[in-house]
């Protein structure tokens, strides 16, 4: 059974940083693309970052590019999202997901397994 458990969210200061974790079970994260997504209140869910089966291939949404890093620890079967220079507009629930495909997709509908999400609030 494919499952994700996200953690690491909370209250962060503007300009601060955090690291979100996504622990997977039921499959190996090194065999499939894993994406991070977020959904702010009143907004649609959007992609933040994705890592394909080749961990050297990573994509980032423009708003987080240059201040975010997606990474993977195969031994822990965990995917991380590190974000720095946090802004109020980063406030959202963050999710990890997979479509059990080797490559990242631009379409949210391709991602069929989702975690429960972790809340990130950026505020002073």
């Amino acid at each position: 059974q494919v499952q994700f458990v996200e953690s690491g969210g909370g209250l962060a200061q503007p300009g601060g940083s955090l690291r979100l974790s996504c622990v997977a079970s039921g499959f190996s994260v090194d065999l499939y693309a894993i994406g991070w997504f977020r959904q702010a209140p009143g907004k649609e869910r959007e992609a933040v970052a994705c890592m394909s089966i080749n961990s050297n291939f990573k994509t980032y949404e423009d708003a987080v590019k240059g201040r975010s890093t997606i990474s993977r620890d195969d031994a822990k079967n965990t995917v991380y999202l590190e974000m720095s220079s946090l802004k109020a507009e980063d406030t959202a629930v963050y999710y990890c997901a997979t479509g059990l495909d080797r490559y990242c997709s631009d379409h949210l509908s391709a991602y069929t397994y989702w975690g429960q999400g972790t809340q990130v609030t950026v505020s002073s």
Side-chain angles (χ1 to χ4, degrees), residues 5 13 15 19 22 29 31-33 36 49 77 83 103 106 118:
V5 177
Q13 297 273 344
R19 186 177 78 161
C22 170
V29 296
L31 296 180
Y32 301 103
W36 277 99
N77 214 35
M83 298 182 66
Y103 304 106
D106 292 336
T118 185

Side-chain angles (χ1 to χ4, degrees), residues 13-74:
Q13 297 273 344
S17 61
L18 52 76
R19 186 177 78 161
L20 305 180
S21 300
C22 170
V23 179
S25 59
F27 76 106
S28 295
V29 296
D30 60 336
L31 296 180
Y32 301 103
I34 308 293
W36 277 99
F37 302 81
R38 66 185 180 184
Q39 187 165 18
K43 295 189 177 181
E44 294 186 353
R45 192 169 298 188
E46 63 178 2
V48 177
C50 185
M51 175 188 293
S52 73
I53 184 174
N54 179 346
S55 60
N56 291 323
F57 184 81
K58 304 173 184 179
T59 60
Y60 297 94
E61 189 250 340
D62 287 346
V64 304
K65 197 173 295 183
R67 58 187 185 93
S68 297
T69 302
I70 186 171
S71 62
R72 192 177 76 202
D73 185 330
D74 295 342

